[in-house]
Amino acid sequence: MSGVTSSAEDVRWNLSELAANADDVRTEWTELVERTTAFAGRYRGRIAELDAAGLRGLLDEADVLAQDASRLGVYGSSRVNMDAADVEANDLATFARDRASEVENELVFVDLEWIALDDGPADALLASPELAGYAHKLRVLREEKPYVLTEPEEQALNARRPAVSAWSALHDRQVATLEIPFDAGEGETPHSVNVLLSYMYSPNRDLRRAGLEALYTGLEPRVEVLASCYDALVGDRLALDRVRGFADPMEPTNMLNELDAETVEAMLAATAESYGIGRRWFTAKAGLLGLDRLELWDQYAPVGEGREFPWGEAAEIVDASFARFSPRLAEIFRACVDAGHVDAAPRAGKASGAYCTTVSKSVLPFVLMNYTGRFRDVVTLAHEFGHATHGALALERQTYRSHRTGIAMAEVPSTFAQLIADDYLVELEPDEATRRALVVDRLEQAMAAIFRQVVLARFERRAYALRAEGRTLTPERLSEIWIEENAAYYGDAVALPDGYRLGWSYIPHFIHVRFYTYAYSFAHLVALLLYGRYHEDPDSFVPLYLEFLATGGAASPAALVAPFGLDLHAKDTWRSAFEQVERLLDEAEAAYA
Ligand SMILES: [Zn+2]
């Protein structure tokens, strides 16, 4: 692996496998639109006439078109994400967005005509061996059928979309344009919500407290508008649910996640039952920080400092921790590094954060991150390569249409990869302080993903229930249920400041995708359950896990985890996941004993 010896600055994307240059990409987009139009011309209005082999031929062709669109799209967005100031790349991205939506529009008929088929012929097609590689995704599409209205009704609903999205746009703008005057030690300057929140990770307690108090003071004047936006959106969603026939406001999200209400219910209930694990850690953490009790602003305070990790060491850790799990995963990691599919170091103009994108059956995934040498960056590298190995193995085995899972399952392999990299780090790390920081970080990441996201989902559920009873979602009502749901988690272990009653007001998930957050809890818990199985019996676990990765999105979450003996309907399954969380807590407490 050539990347090991270089510094993070030398580890950059090489996009040549995607396309030679921007001009070629434009030409290819234009050709792709023509090819798609020709394809649609041959098949539109004919899906009901096709036999299994005919439908298979159509889907294979559509798969090729979708992969070309993906490859060209990734070239354009990657150029922009490498350098936001690249004028040629920005022009190309605009051009590509328009072409991509033309391609998409030309292909919409495939799904619509498939859904329109009667159950009899559709079931016969689904049972045929020719369509095995597409069957699951085709079946999932048909589950929408009972909720789809007539074409003129759907068109009318579509036509009012801009008016509805004006509410979320207004909410976004109210939060994004907030400039809160704050002095972080170098004189008073305007602060955004995110910068104030980032101070919660500072070792300086005064800064954490003052930052959070400034945030709530800054939100206060906008809270009426923020609540009105939320009220309008919740009211609209409930009205549409009635028109479409959804009985519960969580149902549309559960469908996206391919989870039934019973599973989600069992997971939420088991999590709320286990809130005490979180409180036990908060109490222990107060002791470590020399405090009687945590205040909310101490929640994410660092309890220790980890050492620096040069890029070469990080790559070796991911390589070695993957290799000892399965050589196949390490092979994919090295192949991606060697092919220039990793962009590691932060640079001016480069996108922030980290992500992994899959491309096609013939091109390995691409990973972007902002490596700065902290241990958390090593864990992030492992996380993104959990996604990349999942994508690579699923694309090797499945059709392009079937490779991707819903959000709830997508974060399972990344979380699992994080856990095995953490194991390796904790076992071999010679520096005591770093090892302690690692075990605390692993516990706190689990708590943030599992407990916190369930608190948010339970708050949303109560908001929808209030609105369904015909009550307006005023700031006072939202604050009341927000504090109640948070107090159920934090209890006496963490003091909540008065301003925290406005904590609901700036959270984007509530506005954009309802009940989005429980998918994180779900994924983290499933990853911990798998991790528990792995430690019980590594030899029989590993081949099953590789099979799980290679299945991609070609099976439901329940079917994906069944080979591991996990029944997602059973509350006991979820309870046993919390034994893993408790183990992480014991480990963190033992590190400081
Ligand atoms: Zn992820």
Side-chain angles (χ1 to χ4, degrees), residues 417-457:
Q418 225 176 290
L419 290 167
I420 61 172
D422 267 330
D423 271 353
Y424 184 90
L425 274 162
V426 172
E427 238 172 81
L428 298 174
E429 176 55 44
D431 177 50
E432 177 74 23
T434 302
R435 209 166 51 239
R436 286 173 162 181
L438 272 164
V439 292
V440 167
D441 183 65
R442 140 143 121 171
L443 169 67
E444 291 193 337
Q445 289 224 11
M447 286 173 48
I450 299 166
F451 295 124
R452 180 95 191 121
Q453 306 302 326
V454 164
V455 169
L456 302 187

Side-chain angles (χ1 to χ4, degrees), residues 321-322 382-383 385-387 412-422 545:
S321 65
F322 280 20
H383 178 104
F385 270 93
H387 287 306
V412 173
S414 50
T415 309
F416 187 85
Q418 225 176 290
L419 290 167
I420 61 172
D422 267 330
Y545 187 75

Side-chain angles (χ1 to χ4, degrees), residues 129-379:
E130 285 92 339
L131 289 166
Y134 294 103
H136 178 69
K137 290 288 184 188
L138 291 177
R139 211 170 277 129
V140 169
L141 271 178
R142 289 183 64 82
E143 284 169 11
E144 289 171 28
K145 188 169 177 157
Y147 309 104
V148 176
L149 307 172
T150 63
E151 208 178 324
E153 284 172 322
E154 290 291 346
Q155 282 168 347
L157 289 179
N158 258 331
R160 56 190 277 292
R161 239 172 35 201
V164 176
S165 51
W167 289 107
S168 50
L170 175 60
H171 187 280
D172 288 351
R173 220 165 33 243
Q174 287 284 308
V175 176
T177 59
L178 209 52
E179 291 191 333
I180 300 164
F182 183 69
D183 181 357
E186 286 156 3
E188 195 175 277
T189 50
H191 275 59
S192 68
V193 172
N194 283 334
V195 172
L196 287 174
L197 286 171
S198 73
Y199 294 145
M200 295 310 106
Y201 298 88
S202 162
N204 178 346
R205 191 172 198 223
D206 289 333
L207 179 61
R208 296 197 303 266
R209 180 191 48 75
L212 204 60
E213 282 176 347
L215 171 67
Y216 298 136
T217 309
L219 283 167
E220 190 86 59
R222 302 216 167 169
V223 117
E224 274 296 336
V225 175
L226 294 172
S228 298
C229 293
Y230 189 49
D231 179 72
L233 287 165
V234 172
D236 181 70
R237 287 168 188 160
L238 288 168
L240 274 191
D241 285 353
R242 273 194 302 279
V243 172
R244 292 193 182 280
F246 286 112
D248 184 291
M250 286 181 89
E251 222 174 309
T253 307
N254 294 349
M255 276 179 71
L256 278 178
N257 289 327
E258 295 181 38
L259 297 172
D260 55 34
E262 202 185 337
T263 295
V264 177
E265 221 39 66
M267 192 270 295
L268 292 176
T271 304
E273 255 176 34
S274 305
Y275 279 169
I277 301 174
R279 291 196 290 273
R280 203 180 111 199
W281 170 244
F282 290 135
T283 307
K285 183 168 182 170
L288 295 176
L289 294 174
L291 304 167
D292 290 335
R293 178 159 81 138
L294 286 196
E295 297 281 345
L296 188 68
W297 47 77
D298 303 317
Q299 180 177 205
Y300 302 114
V303 281
E305 264 300 307
R307 68 173 173 94
E308 288 259 323
F309 287 81
W311 165 259
E313 191 182 357
E316 269 165 13
I317 288 165
V318 173
D319 185 30
S321 65
F322 280 20
R324 81 174 182 172
F325 178 82
S326 155
R328 188 72 187 92
L329 298 189
E331 231 173 77
I332 295 168
F333 172 66
R334 287 195 299 268
C336 287
V337 173
D338 289 343
H341 287 217
V342 183
D343 202 292
R347 290 186 302 273
K350 178 176 159 177
S352 61
Y355 71 87
C356 165
T357 183
T358 55
V359 181
S360 73
K361 285 176 71 68
S362 54
V363 180
L364 285 168
F366 280 75
V367 165
L368 175 142
M369 70 174 300
N370 284 274
Y371 192 85
T372 58
R374 298 164 314 156
F375 70 79
R376 193 172 279 136
D377 296 329
V378 183
V379 178

